[in-house]
Coordinates of all heavy atoms in Angstrom, one line a residue:
K25 N 5.8 1.2 -11.1 CA 4.4 1.5 -10.8 C 3.8 0.2 -10.4 O 3.8 -0.8 -11.1 CB 3.7 2.0 -12.1 CG 2.2 2.4 -11.8 CD 1.5 2.8 -13.1 CE 0.0 3.2 -12.7 NZ -0.7 3.5 -13.9
M26 N 3.2 0.2 -9.2 CA 2.6 -1.0 -8.6 C 1.7 -0.6 -7.5 O 1.9 0.3 -6.8 CB 3.7 -1.9 -8.0 CG 3.3 -3.2 -7.3 SD 4.6 -4.1 -6.6 CE 5.5 -4.6 -8.0
D27 N 0.6 -1.4 -7.4 CA -0.3 -1.2 -6.3 C 0.0 -2.2 -5.2 O 0.1 -3.4 -5.4 CB -1.8 -1.5 -6.8 CG -2.8 -1.0 -5.8 OD1 -2.6 -1.2 -4.6 OD2 -3.8 -0.4 -6.3
L28 N 0.3 -1.7 -4.0 CA 0.7 -2.5 -2.9 C -0.3 -3.5 -2.4 O 0.0 -4.3 -1.6 CB 1.3 -1.6 -1.8 CG 2.5 -0.8 -2.1 CD1 2.8 0.1 -0.9 CD2 3.7 -1.7 -2.5
K29 N -1.6 -3.3 -2.8 CA -2.6 -4.3 -2.5 C -2.4 -5.6 -3.2 O -3.0 -6.6 -2.9 CB -4.0 -3.7 -2.8 CG -4.3 -2.4 -2.0 CD -5.8 -2.1 -2.2 CE -6.2 -1.7 -3.6 NZ -5.6 -0.4 -4.0
D30 N -1.5 -5.6 -4.2 CA -1.2 -6.8 -5.0 C -0.1 -7.6 -4.3 O 1.0 -7.4 -4.4 CB -0.7 -6.4 -6.4 CG -0.2 -7.5 -7.3 OD1 -0.4 -8.7 -6.8 OD2 0.4 -7.3 -8.3
A31 N -0.6 -8.6 -3.5 CA 0.3 -9.3 -2.6 C 1.4 -10.1 -3.4 O 2.5 -10.1 -3.0 CB -0.5 -10.3 -1.8
A32 N 1.0 -10.6 -4.6 CA 2.0 -11.4 -5.4 C 3.0 -10.4 -5.9 O 4.2 -10.8 -6.0 CB 1.2 -12.1 -6.5
G33 N 2.6 -9.3 -6.4 CA 3.5 -8.3 -6.9 C 4.5 -7.8 -5.9 O 5.7 -7.6 -6.2
V34 N 4.0 -7.5 -4.7 CA 4.9 -7.1 -3.6 C 5.9 -8.1 -3.3 O 7.1 -7.9 -3.1 CB 4.0 -6.7 -2.4 CG1 4.9 -6.4 -1.2 CG2 3.2 -5.4 -2.7
N35 N 5.4 -9.4 -3.2 CA 6.3 -10.5 -2.9 C 7.4 -10.6 -3.9 O 8.6 -10.9 -3.6 CB 5.5 -11.8 -2.8 CG 6.3 -13.0 -2.4 OD1 6.6 -13.2 -1.3 ND2 6.7 -13.8 -3.4
D36 N 7.0 -10.4 -5.2 CA 7.9 -10.6 -6.3 C 9.0 -9.5 -6.2 O 10.2 -9.8 -6.5 CB 7.2 -10.5 -7.6 CG 8.0 -10.8 -8.8 OD1 8.6 -11.9 -8.8 OD2 8.2 -10.0 -9.7
I37 N 8.7 -8.3 -5.9 CA 9.7 -7.2 -5.9 C 10.6 -7.4 -4.7 O 11.8 -7.1 -4.8 CB 9.0 -5.8 -5.8 CG1 10.1 -4.8 -6.3 CG2 8.5 -5.4 -4.5 CD1 9.5 -3.5 -6.7
F38 N 10.1 -8.0 -3.6 CA 11.1 -8.3 -2.5 C 12.0 -9.4 -2.8 O 13.1 -9.5 -2.5 CB 10.2 -8.7 -1.2 CG 9.9 -7.5 -0.3 CD1 8.7 -6.8 -0.5 CD2 10.7 -7.1 0.7 CE1 8.4 -5.7 0.3 CE2 10.4 -6.0 1.5 CZ 9.2 -5.3 1.3
K39 N 11.4 -10.4 -3.6 CA 12.2 -11.6 -4.0 C 13.3 -11.2 -5.0 O 14.4 -11.7 -4.9 CB 11.3 -12.6 -4.7 CG 11.9 -13.9 -5.0 CD 10.9 -14.9 -5.5 CE 11.5 -16.2 -5.8 NZ 10.5 -17.2 -6.4
K40 N 13.0 -10.3 -5.9 CA 14.0 -9.9 -6.9 C 15.1 -8.9 -6.3 O 16.1 -8.7 -7.0 CB 13.3 -9.2 -8.1 CG 12.5 -10.2 -8.9 CD 11.8 -9.5 -10.1 CE 11.0 -10.5 -10.9 NZ 10.3 -9.8 -12.0
N41 N 14.8 -8.3 -5.2 CA 15.7 -7.3 -4.7 C 16.1 -7.7 -3.2 O 15.3 -8.1 -2.5 CB 15.1 -5.9 -4.6 CG 14.7 -5.3 -6.0 OD1 15.6 -4.7 -6.6 ND2 13.5 -5.6 -6.4
K42 N 17.3 -7.5 -2.9 CA 17.8 -7.8 -1.5 C 17.8 -6.4 -0.8 O 18.8 -5.8 -0.7 CB 19.1 -8.4 -1.5 CG 19.7 -8.7 -0.2 CD 18.8 -9.7 0.7 CE 19.4 -10.0 2.0 NZ 18.5 -10.7 2.9
F43 N 16.7 -6.1 -0.3 CA 16.6 -4.8 0.4 C 17.2 -4.9 1.8 O 17.0 -5.8 2.5 CB 15.1 -4.3 0.6 CG 14.4 -4.0 -0.7 CD1 13.3 -4.8 -1.1 CD2 14.9 -3.0 -1.6 CE1 12.7 -4.5 -2.3 CE2 14.3 -2.8 -2.8 CZ 13.1 -3.5 -3.2
D44 N 18.0 -3.8 2.1 CA 18.5 -3.7 3.5 C 17.6 -3.0 4.4 O 17.7 -3.1 5.6 CB 19.9 -2.9 3.4 CG 20.9 -3.7 2.6 OD1 21.3 -4.7 3.0 OD2 21.2 -3.2 1.5
M45 N 16.7 -2.2 3.8 CA 15.7 -1.5 4.7 C 14.6 -1.0 3.8 O 14.6 -1.0 2.6 CB 16.4 -0.2 5.3 CG 17.0 0.8 4.4 SD 17.9 2.1 5.2 CE 19.3 1.2 5.8
V46 N 13.4 -0.7 4.5 CA 12.2 -0.3 3.8 C 11.7 1.0 4.5 O 11.7 1.0 5.7 CB 11.1 -1.4 3.8 CG1 9.8 -0.9 3.2 CG2 11.6 -2.6 3.1
C47 N 11.3 2.0 3.7 CA 10.6 3.1 4.2 C 9.3 3.2 3.5 O 9.2 3.5 2.4 CB 11.4 4.4 3.9 SG 10.7 5.9 4.7
H48 N 8.2 2.8 4.3 CA 6.9 2.7 3.8 C 6.1 4.0 4.0 O 5.6 4.3 5.1 CB 6.2 1.5 4.4 CG 4.8 1.3 4.0 ND1 4.4 1.2 2.7 CD2 3.6 1.3 4.7 CE1 3.1 1.0 2.6 NE2 2.6 1.1 3.8
L49 N 6.0 4.8 3.0 CA 5.3 6.1 3.0 C 3.9 6.1 2.3 O 3.1 7.0 2.5 CB 6.1 7.2 2.5 CG 7.5 7.4 3.2 CD1 8.3 8.4 2.4 CD2 7.3 7.8 4.6
A50 N 3.7 5.1 1.5 CA 2.5 5.0 0.6 C 1.3 4.8 1.5 O 1.4 4.0 2.5 CB 2.6 3.9 -0.4
A51 N 0.2 5.5 1.3 CA -1.0 5.3 2.0 C -2.1 6.1 1.3 O -1.9 7.0 0.5 CB -0.9 5.8 3.5
Q52 N -3.4 5.8 1.7 CA -4.5 6.6 1.3 C -4.6 7.7 2.3 O -4.9 7.4 3.5 CB -5.7 5.8 1.2 CG -7.0 6.6 0.8 CD -6.8 7.4 -0.5 OE1 -6.6 6.8 -1.6 NE2 -6.9 8.7 -0.5
A53 N -4.3 8.9 1.9 CA -4.3 10.0 2.8 C -5.7 10.7 2.9 O -6.6 10.4 2.1 CB -3.3 11.1 2.4
G54 N -5.9 11.6 3.9 CA -7.1 12.4 3.9 C -8.0 12.0 5.0 O -8.6 10.9 4.9
V55 N -8.3 12.8 6.0 CA -9.2 12.5 7.1 C -10.7 12.5 6.6 O -11.4 11.6 6.8 CB -9.0 13.5 8.2 CG1 -10.2 13.4 9.2 CG2 -7.7 13.3 8.9
R56 N -11.0 13.6 5.9 CA -12.5 13.7 5.5 C -12.8 12.7 4.4 O -13.9 12.2 4.3 CB -12.7 15.1 5.0 CG -12.5 16.1 6.1 CD -12.8 17.6 5.7 NE -12.4 18.4 6.7 CZ -11.3 19.3 6.7 NH1 -10.6 19.3 5.5 NH2 -11.0 20.0 7.7
Y57 N -11.9 12.4 3.5 CA -12.2 11.4 2.4 C -12.4 10.0 3.0 O -13.2 9.2 2.4 CB -11.0 11.4 1.4 CG -11.1 10.6 0.2 CD1 -12.0 11.1 -0.8 CD2 -10.4 9.4 0.0 CE1 -12.2 10.3 -2.0 CE2 -10.6 8.7 -1.2 CZ -11.4 9.2 -2.2 OH -11.6 8.5 -3.3
S58 N -11.8 9.8 4.1 CA -12.0 8.4 4.8 C -13.5 8.2 5.2 O -13.9 7.1 5.3 CB -11.0 8.2 5.9 OG -11.4 9.0 7.0
I59 N -14.2 9.3 5.5 CA -15.6 9.2 5.9 C -16.4 8.8 4.8 O -17.4 8.0 4.9 CB -16.0 10.5 6.5 CG1 -15.2 10.9 7.8 CG2 -17.5 10.5 6.9 CD1 -15.5 12.2 8.4
E60 N -16.1 9.2 3.6 CA -16.9 9.0 2.4 C -16.5 7.7 1.7 O -17.3 7.0 1.0 CB -16.7 10.1 1.4 CG -17.1 11.5 1.9 CD -16.5 12.6 1.0 OE1 -16.1 12.3 -0.1 OE2 -16.6 13.8 1.4
N61 N -15.2 7.2 1.9 CA -14.7 6.1 1.2 C -13.9 5.1 2.1 O -12.7 4.9 1.9 CB -13.8 6.5 0.0 CG -14.5 7.4 -1.0 OD1 -15.1 6.9 -1.9 ND2 -14.3 8.7 -0.8
P62 N -14.6 4.6 3.1 CA -13.9 3.8 4.1 C -13.2 2.6 3.6 O -12.1 2.2 4.0 CB -15.0 3.4 5.1 CG -16.3 3.5 4.3 CD -16.1 4.6 3.4
K63 N -13.7 1.9 2.6 CA -13.1 0.6 2.1 C -11.7 0.9 1.5 O -10.9 0.1 1.6 CB -14.0 -0.1 1.1 CG -15.3 -0.7 1.8 CD -16.1 -1.5 0.8 CE -17.3 -2.1 1.5 NZ -18.1 -2.9 0.5
V64 N -11.6 2.1 0.9 CA -10.3 2.4 0.2 C -9.2 2.4 1.3 O -8.1 2.0 1.1 CB -10.4 3.8 -0.5 CG1 -9.0 4.2 -1.0 CG2 -11.4 3.7 -1.6
Y65 N -9.6 2.9 2.5 CA -8.6 3.0 3.6 C -8.2 1.7 4.2 O -7.1 1.4 4.5 CB -9.1 4.0 4.7 CG -9.0 5.4 4.2 CD1 -10.0 5.9 3.3 CD2 -8.0 6.3 4.6 CE1 -9.9 7.2 2.8 CE2 -8.0 7.6 4.1 CZ -8.9 8.0 3.2 OH -8.9 9.3 2.7
I66 N -9.2 0.8 4.3 CA -8.9 -0.6 4.7 C -8.0 -1.3 3.8 O -7.0 -1.9 4.2 CB -10.2 -1.4 4.9 CG1 -11.2 -0.7 5.9 CG2 -10.0 -2.8 5.3 CD1 -10.7 -0.6 7.3
E67 N -8.3 -1.2 2.5 CA -7.5 -1.8 1.5 C -6.0 -1.2 1.4 O -5.0 -1.9 1.3 CB -8.1 -1.7 0.1 CG -9.4 -2.5 0.0 CD -10.3 -2.2 -1.2 OE1 -9.8 -1.4 -2.0 OE2 -11.3 -2.8 -1.4
S68 N -6.0 0.1 1.3 CA -4.7 0.8 1.0 C -3.8 0.9 2.3 O -2.6 0.8 2.2 CB -4.9 2.2 0.4 OG -5.6 2.1 -0.8
N69 N -4.4 1.1 3.4 CA -3.6 1.4 4.6 C -3.4 0.2 5.5 O -2.5 0.2 6.3 CB -4.3 2.5 5.4 CG -4.3 3.9 4.7 OD1 -3.8 3.9 3.6 ND2 -4.8 4.9 5.3
L70 N -4.3 -0.8 5.4 CA -4.1 -2.0 6.2 C -3.7 -3.2 5.4 O -2.7 -3.8 5.7 CB -5.4 -2.3 7.0 CG -5.8 -1.3 8.0 CD1 -7.2 -1.7 8.7 CD2 -4.8 -1.2 9.1
N71 N -4.4 -3.5 4.3 CA -4.1 -4.7 3.5 C -2.7 -4.5 2.9 O -1.9 -5.4 2.8 CB -5.1 -5.0 2.5 CG -6.5 -5.4 3.1 OD1 -6.5 -5.8 4.2 ND2 -7.5 -5.3 2.3

């Protein structure tokens, strides 16, 4: 369980594991919700 907005945490999990590949599916979903909560999308989908 980890929030990918945590740069140090993400760096740590890459450091501890030698990944051969990554499939990044995590995101803040929802078209209409993005109109009401824009900052969540910037943080979750871009940062």
Side-chain angles (χ1 to χ4, degrees):
K25 182 183 179 185
M26 177 185 293
D27 196 317
L28 295 176
K29 298 191 295 289
D30 176 5
V34 172
N35 184 79
D36 190 54
I37 201 164
F38 272 91
K39 186 176 182 180
K40 289 179 178 177
N41 296 270
K42 179 59 179 175
F43 295 118
D44 297 293
M45 59 188 70
V46 175
C47 187
H48 177 58
L49 300 173
Q52 177 58 59
V55 168
R56 298 182 190 110
Y57 189 70
S58 70
I59 296 171
E60 303 165 11
N61 301 275
K63 289 185 178 179
V64 174
Y65 287 76
I66 300 298
E67 294 170 358
S68 297
N69 295 2
L70 293 177
N71 294 345

